[in-house]
Amino acid sequence: MQYRTLGRTGVRVSTLALGAMNFGAIGRTTQDEATAIVDAALDAGVNLIDTADMYGAGESEEMVGKAIAGR
């Protein structure tokens, strides 16, 4: 995985990101499916997940939170 520095922050982010807009009811993605997707992305070196409170009225963020809990 390639990484870039985010502006002047010193934070290194992967050049690929995981978009989580379709997690939940909008994309009919279950928690188990979302967790498997997040696990695969993290295992591949992705460290940037795009989510927003407007994605499924916050459901996407909740699913990502559950998927990364304890990591």
Side-chain angles (χ1 to χ4, degrees):
M1 180 64 59
Q2 295 180 352
Y3 299 89
R4 302 277 192 282
T5 302
L6 183 63
R8 297 182 207 167
T9 66
V11 175
R12 305 276 296 162
V13 295
S14 54
T15 56
L16 297 177
L18 173 62
M21 184 174 101
N22 285 322
F23 287 3
I26 289 175
R28 292 179 289 210
T29 308
T30 66
Q31 181 63 57
D32 288 341
E33 292 168 331
T35 298
I37 292 166
V38 169
D39 286 345
L42 294 175
D43 289 345
V46 171
N47 68 359
L48 177 62
I49 301 175
D50 169 44
T51 189
D53 61 359
M54 65 181 292
Y55 296 166
E59 184 179 19
S60 171
E61 287 181 313
E62 291 176 10
M63 293 177 86
V64 169
K66 289 176 183 175
I68 64 172
R71 281 186 158 255

